[in-house]
Amino acid sequence: MVTATRFNAPSPLQWVSVITAVFLLLPTCYIIYVALTATPASWSRLWSTRIPELLWNTLSLATSVALITFILGLSLAWIMVRYDFPGRRIWEWALVFPLAMPTYVLAYVYAHLFGMGGPAEQWWQALMGPEARLVSPQSFTGVTMVMALDTFPFVYLLARSALLNLNVSFEEVARACGMSPWITLRRITLPLIRPAIAAGLALVILYVISDFGAVSLLRYQTLTYAVYQQMTGRYDQTAAGILSLLLVVMAIVFLVTERWFRRRSRFYQTSGRYRTSTRHRGGALKTALIMTYVVLIFGAAFGIPAAMLIYWSVAAISQGALDARFFGFVWNSSFLSALAAGGAVLIGLPLAYLASRRPSRLNIACLQAAYAGYALPGPVAALAVLVLFTHFAPVLYGSIVVLLVAYVLHFLPVGLQSMEPALQQVTPNVEEVARTLGCTTRRMLRRVTLPLIQNGFIAAWVLMFLQIMKELPATLLLRPVGFDTLAIRVWLEASEEYYQLAAPSALLIVLLSLPALMLLVSKDWRGRHQEVVT
Amino acid sequence: MASSPRAILALTLVLGTLALWYVITTPAIAADKLIVYSGRAERLIKPVLDEFQSKSGIQIELLSSGTTELVNRLKAEGDHTPADVFLTNDAGSLEHARELKLLRPMNMREVERAIPPQFRAPDNSWIGLSGRFWIVVYNTKLVKPDQITSLLDLAQPQWKDKLAIPNSGSEYLQAGVSVIKATFGDERTKQFLQGLKTNAGTQVYQKSSQIVEAVAKGQVAVGLVNHYYIYRHLAAQPSAPIAALMTDQQEGGMGAIMNVAGIGVTRASKHVESAKLLIEFLVAQAGQKLFADLDKEYPLHPDVKADPALIDRHSFRAALVPLARLAELREPTLTLIEQVGLR
């Protein structure tokens, strides 16, 4: 009876969720407001000078990176699921490591290695004569390669799990009907894993259009980079607002397209018969080829840059880089990321809970509002938070509160993506059973609900922690005095081309990210409670 | 594992309390500290501040960032700013901060004795500390110095794809273009910018050090930078094939484009006495030498000699546009830059 009355009147939880949603929407509204109140003159000036180039640069980069990550991610997932070779289990893990390497770190390592007069060019010139030139990393090709090497694990991870869950009987039927392996792949397998690939590519594309660090180090002009430049180079922030609005619109278009893709291609298991594929063990030549391919990709995306960072760090440390100041940066980074991730989990909880338990229109709208942060790249989130704080709570401006708000706003969607399914998987039946067996609400939450959702929540926390630790533009713009993070140190040193000095901080970001990443992708850990649920 | 969500909750609460404590106690800690917002590269200012700290016992907290970004920040923070001192590399930005009433007029005898009046605000709300010139860096293997007599030459088609420039957010570029605009008028400035844009192509850099590097490696033949980047590069790599070129020195010409690095005390500062001590330290002969030499700049104190590696200050003329005018010229200059579509 108690529950019945609760359904009618808006519960305190509902109020909390509505208020949170309003706050989460404020920055986006503010950006739209700034852009729409800009004079037609500033719109037309930007439109005739900067916008076409920026749109073209951003879109072409996103497209080319998506294409390469598609090829890399899918081929690697295919190899890992369908073939067996020595060390496969290790490589299966290792291919996710690039996610621990921030794009700006990869960018600065490659800017050094392949830049003018860098080691790669010297070697190339020794081989091909003094006039030989390599493709500059500060070019479209260079940025594309760096971004693709850093983001292909998104596609790899999702494609791999889709392939693992794929029922092979479909393929077997196709083969039995006389289709060639190639046609089977194109007509049967790919369409079946299309939603996973679309989701992976959407992650890649959102990542590319919101990246700031790599494009600024490689001097490639995208919208996000331009927003940052407008914000830091001018007193009038209208132009930043206009460019931000374009970014927001672009991100929303991508998100909507991806959702549409997913909805259009939903497949159902029709019978209970389900088998996963067996792994082939190819001949010596095939195995060698596969291993070379895997090692090459891993080496380029993680091995070489990590080795470079270690090499530089050793040099920097021997010059005394590990002083008290450095450990201060480490503390700042970990403290801030942990706090913001924790805060985001707490803030996201009522939103996700209400939307999955009482999916009224209002509750779902509140959840959607939280996803608005997805469309706000770092500098844009920073711009909005900065202005809102200075208008409404200037006392807090310049404290870490401002940073925390920007982080929660920007990264909450990432966390919600694992909190939401975790809550959805708990069927109300389980809770009802607990109730009928005489559990009190509190006991039910502790014994049934929490254990079921905890993994999803830990995953959310870890994901946000990882991303916040790497975050750059918002931290650059909003950090309090004397509060540098590891990411800031990397950027400050690397943009002045003090590669060695940047290395210890960069290496530490990678090292701190790795265990979290491993925890996240270990399938056993994630699947432990799944049997209870289904 | 069973209690993990609660562990996260507990951790968050603990950290949250810590954060709150941090926020509450920050002003208290700041009581015996001087907070410096600096638009100057960290490694070019920290040694000077460290020296001051060890001499005076006043602790300094440094926030390094972009110049315009810091002015925006000061403006946003208003009376709540924690900053006591704003130190940066562009007189235009300092003057702009003064116009926004972010800086405090200062009455200091030492300053008036040390720094000539053309290098400070009339009410001393900002004080120049060192001089810097916007000049051409060229690769000695690719370019003969007599090929360029004026900055405007860089817009000529012969430099297509051979020129490196800073991006349009750079305060040096904005100040430089402002001086050209004040000297030659809008039309010629626009042509100049158009030429720069065409000639530079994608060679548009965030940092001047990168421009010098590109010229040294022969990636481009010429670049537009502040003079000290050249000497800084040469100090690290004495054999680099680069040299500085002082332009616009012909009779009746514009003269070299000068800017200053300077300092001001914020209006909201609660540590004016400590801030005064810092300024006295910086304008005194020893401080001037230290500050200017660190970045191979020209000291503004008439009795302090510049680094001997630099072109002798008496051998060239500077443009006649007063530094304080850079602020009012900036917005129209930015409009020009945007009309041309410079990155």
Side-chain angles (χ1 to χ4, degrees):
Chain A
M1 285 306 104
V2 180
T3 41
T5 48
R6 254 197 218 155
F7 265 98
N8 295 332
S11 64
L13 196 61
Q14 198 135 34
W15 279 113
V16 171
S17 126
V18 171
I19 292 168
T20 317
V22 169
F23 272 102
L24 291 173
L25 270 182
L26 264 182
T28 316
C29 294
Y30 172 75
I31 293 293
I32 296 172
Y33 168 79
V34 172
L36 294 184
T37 51
T39 59
S42 30
W43 270 95
S44 73
R45 189 174 63 218
L46 277 173
W47 193 259
S48 62
T49 55
R50 305 283 288 124
I51 290 175
E53 184 200 7
L54 292 173
L55 274 181
W56 167 250
N57 282 359
T58 311
L59 288 174
S60 57
L61 183 68
T63 315
S64 63
V65 174
L67 199 70
I68 295 178
T69 50
F70 171 74
I71 296 170
L72 288 181
L74 187 64
S75 61
L76 289 166
W78 184 264
I79 288 172
M80 291 300 163
V81 173
R82 295 295 163 92
Y83 291 94
D84 202 10
F85 53 91
R88 179 185 57 82
R89 296 192 70 95
I90 297 169
W91 290 117
E92 223 167 6
W93 283 73
L95 284 177
V96 186
F97 284 9
L99 288 182
M101 182 87 57
T103 36
Y104 50 86
V105 172
L106 207 62
Y108 98 71
V109 171
Y110 278 115
H112 167 78
L113 286 179
F114 286 87
M116 281 283 275
E121 197 182 72
Q122 285 172 14
W123 171 82
W124 184 243
Q125 286 176 347
L127 211 71
M128 307 293 288
E131 288 306 303
R133 282 279 141 84
L134 289 171
V135 178
S136 163
Q138 275 123 4
S139 64
F140 177 75
T141 321
V143 183
T144 305
M145 287 319 291
V146 164
M147 291 275 193
L149 282 175
D150 214 45
T151 52
F152 79 85
F154 286 126
V155 180
Y156 162 74
L157 265 178
L158 290 167
R160 177 173 155 268
S161 69
L163 281 172
L164 280 172
N165 291 327
L166 187 75
N167 190 345
V168 198
S169 4
F170 291 126
E171 292 183 354
E172 281 167 356
V173 170
R175 294 301 306 277
C177 293
M179 283 190 184
S180 73
W182 186 241
I183 292 181
T184 310
L185 173 72
R186 224 186 55 214
R187 305 258 317 255
I188 308 291
T189 319
L190 277 186
L192 281 171
I193 61 170
R194 191 167 62 195
I197 293 179
L201 287 179
L203 283 176
V204 169
I205 289 172
L206 282 173
Y207 199 96
V208 171
I209 63 173
S210 66
D211 176 81
F212 162 77
V215 289
S216 76
L217 285 176
L218 296 179
R219 296 187 291 109
Y220 185 77
Q221 295 267 326
T222 61
L223 270 169
T224 304
Y225 183 29
V227 168
Y228 180 82
Q229 283 185 333
Q230 290 287 343
M231 278 185 69
T232 53
R234 293 205 68 159
Y235 297 126
D236 174 20
Q237 296 185 331
T238 326
I242 293 177
L243 296 178
S244 298
L245 182 66
L246 287 183
L247 257 176
V248 169
V249 170
M250 197 186 264
I252 290 173
V253 168
F254 277 124
L255 283 172
V256 170
T257 320
E258 192 257 340
R259 291 249 150 149
W260 178 78
F261 235 95
R262 249 199 280 187
R263 200 163 303 158
R264 221 182 55 131
S265 45
R266 202 171 273 173
F267 296 92
Y268 297 99
Q269 186 73 37
T270 44
S271 74
R273 238 166 286 151
Y274 172 85
R275 282 196 312 106
T276 47
S277 71
T278 45
R279 291 200 164 83
H280 306 281
R281 191 176 262 287
L285 181 69
K286 207 167 190 178
T287 305
L289 275 178
I290 284 175
M291 287 185 68
T292 319
Y293 179 63
V294 173
V295 169
L296 270 180
I297 304 289
F298 175 80
F302 191 84
I304 294 173
M308 217 47 224
L309 288 183
I310 294 172
Y311 171 73
W312 276 328
S313 294
V314 170
I317 290 166
S318 66
Q319 289 162 24
L322 288 194
D323 49 7
R325 219 166 145 240
F326 180 78
F327 290 107
F329 303 142
V330 178
W331 164 247
N332 286 350
S333 272
S334 337
F335 167 74
L336 204 59
S337 313
L339 189 62
V345 168
L346 287 185
I347 288 169
L349 182 61
L351 297 170
Y353 180 80
L354 285 179
S356 62
R357 272 323 149 73
R358 294 174 213 161
S360 67
R361 216 172 260 178
L362 176 70
N363 287 340
I364 289 180
C366 286
L367 184 74
Q368 296 290 340
Y371 276 98
Y374 237 171
L376 291 178
V380 187
L383 173 66
V385 169
L386 184 144
V387 176
L388 290 174
F389 264 95
T390 49
H391 277 226
F392 300 112
V395 190
L396 291 176
Y397 187 81
S399 73
I400 57 170
V401 177
V402 185
L403 264 183
L404 290 176
V405 171
Y407 289 155
V408 169
L409 184 75
H410 186 42
F411 292 109
L412 182 57
V414 176
L416 281 175
Q417 287 223 311
S418 31
M419 287 158 73
E420 216 190 320
L423 278 166
Q424 275 168 354
Q425 279 173 346
V426 187
T427 58
N429 301 356
V430 189
E431 291 183 342
E432 278 158 21
V433 168
R435 290 283 206 152
T436 49
L437 291 176
C439 277
T440 59
T441 310
R442 173 180 283 211
R443 200 171 147 76
M444 176 199 78
L445 279 177
R446 214 183 63 215
R447 298 285 303 273
V448 181
T449 318
L450 279 184
L452 283 176
I453 62 171
Q454 73 175 27
N455 283 350
F457 278 71
I458 294 172
W461 189 87
V462 170
L463 260 179
M464 290 190 286
F465 178 85
L466 277 177
Q467 303 236 26
I468 293 169
M469 206 160 61
K470 297 194 283 186
E471 206 281 341
L472 204 48
T475 320
L476 271 173
L477 291 165
L478 300 175
R479 76 206 139 110
V481 184
F483 200 89
D484 286 0
T485 62
L486 289 172
I488 297 284
R489 293 319 298 178
V490 175
W491 198 80
L492 288 182
E493 307 286 13
S495 58
E496 298 268 357
E497 312 210 334
Y498 291 100
Y499 295 130
Q500 288 191 351
L501 292 174
S505 305
L507 190 62
L508 208 68
I509 293 181
V510 177
L511 288 180
L512 284 174
S513 304
L514 274 181
L517 194 67
M518 303 272 273
L519 190 68
L520 204 64
V521 293
S522 88
K523 213 172 99 253
D524 305 337
W525 179 80
R526 248 189 167 178
R528 216 174 66 196
H529 290 279
Q530 307 263 314
E531 307 87 55
V532 189
V533 179
T534 44
Chain B
M1 269 299 188
S3 60
S4 291
R6 275 198 291 163
I8 290 185
L9 181 74
L11 185 69
T12 309
L13 288 179
V14 168
L15 289 174
T17 321
L18 277 174
L20 208 65
W21 170 80
Y22 176 88
V23 172
I24 293 167
T25 51
T26 304
I29 296 170
D32 44 358
K33 262 186 192 170
L34 203 52
I35 292 184
V36 178
Y37 279 13
S38 158
R40 197 172 165 92
E42 189 179 287
R43 63 191 62 257
L44 297 179
I45 185 65
K46 204 164 176 305
V48 186
L49 296 179
D50 286 348
E51 176 79 16
F52 172 72
Q53 190 169 311
S54 67
K55 280 232 169 84
S56 65
I58 297 171
Q59 238 206 317
I60 293 211
E61 192 81 72
L62 178 65
L63 178 82
S64 303
S65 225
T67 295
T68 307
E69 188 189 329
L70 286 174
V71 177
N72 280 334
R73 188 168 175 148
L74 282 170
K75 192 164 90 182
E77 288 169 348
D79 290 339
H80 301 286
T81 185
D84 298 299
V85 166
F86 176 44
L87 195 159
T88 195
N89 289 344
D90 170 43
S93 303
L94 286 163
E95 176 66 14
H96 185 70
R98 184 183 80 91
E99 284 168 357
L100 291 170
K101 306 220 181 307
L102 297 170
L103 301 179
R104 177 189 293 256
M106 298 295 275
N107 196 350
M108 290 178 70
R109 188 93 59 77
E110 295 79 357
V111 168
E112 279 160 23
R113 222 178 293 147
I115 307 292
Q118 68 267 34
F119 301 133
R120 42 189 169 87
D123 58 0
N124 287 338
S125 46
W126 60 265
I127 297 137
L129 294 174
S130 64
R132 33 190 38 222
F133 291 88
W134 206 43
I135 62 171
V136 174
V137 54
Y138 67 98
N139 186 304
T140 48
K141 289 182 190 157
L142 302 171
V143 179
K144 298 263 165 304
D146 58 3
Q147 283 176 276
I148 303 162
T149 53
S150 165
L151 282 184
L152 269 54
D153 293 348
L154 295 177
Q156 285 168 5
Q158 67 184 105
W159 300 110
K160 175 119 180 64
D161 294 327
K162 291 178 183 163
L163 172 70
I165 58 172
N167 73 37
S168 61
S170 141
E171 289 83 15
Y172 323 138
L173 178 101
Q174 293 167 359
V177 175
S178 292
V179 174
I180 293 174
K181 181 175 136 64
T183 317
F184 295 105
D186 279 7
E187 237 1 85
R188 286 192 66 187
T189 311
K190 216 166 166 174
Q191 280 168 17
F192 169 67
L193 291 173
Q194 203 81 54
L196 283 195
K197 186 188 168 191
T198 318
N199 290 348
T202 61
Q203 305 294 332
V204 181
Y205 292 76
Q206 177 98 17
K207 304 267 175 186
S208 301
S209 51
Q210 297 166 343
I211 298 180
V212 175
E213 180 117 354
V215 174
K217 286 177 177 169
Q219 204 166 342
V220 286
V222 284
L224 265 173
V225 288
N226 278 336
H227 74 270
Y228 47 85
Y229 287 103
I230 303 171
Y231 299 104
R232 220 206 281 172
H233 192 91
L234 283 172
Q237 289 164 42
S239 61
I242 51 169
L245 184 67
M246 204 52 90
T247 57
D248 299 280
Q249 294 300 313
Q250 72 279 23
E251 197 62 42
M254 170 174 68
I257 291 174
M258 184 185 187
N259 204 336
V260 300
I263 190 170
V265 182
T266 63
R267 189 168 283 268
S269 169
K270 288 173 191 67
H271 309 107
V272 181
E273 287 313 309
S274 306
K276 265 188 174 171
L277 287 177
L278 175 62
I279 293 177
E280 277 167 19
F281 170 80
L282 290 173
V283 299
Q285 295 209 13
Q288 276 284 292
K289 186 86 187 137
L290 189 62
F291 189 85
D293 278 3
L294 200 62
D295 204 8
K296 310 267 183 205
E297 290 171 300
Y298 293 94
L300 295 179
H301 194 300
D303 301 337
V304 182
K305 289 228 158 11
D307 188 303
L310 304 188
I311 302 178
D312 180 18
R313 178 64 192 88
H314 298 294
S315 70
F316 63 90
R317 291 183 306 110
L320 292 170
V321 179
L323 290 171
R325 269 203 74 198
L326 292 179
E328 65 181 271
L329 286 167
R330 179 153 154 175
E331 270 305 311
T333 299
L334 275 172
T335 311
L336 267 188
I337 290 177
E338 265 188 4
Q339 277 171 359
V340 173
L342 227 54
R343 284 179 165 190

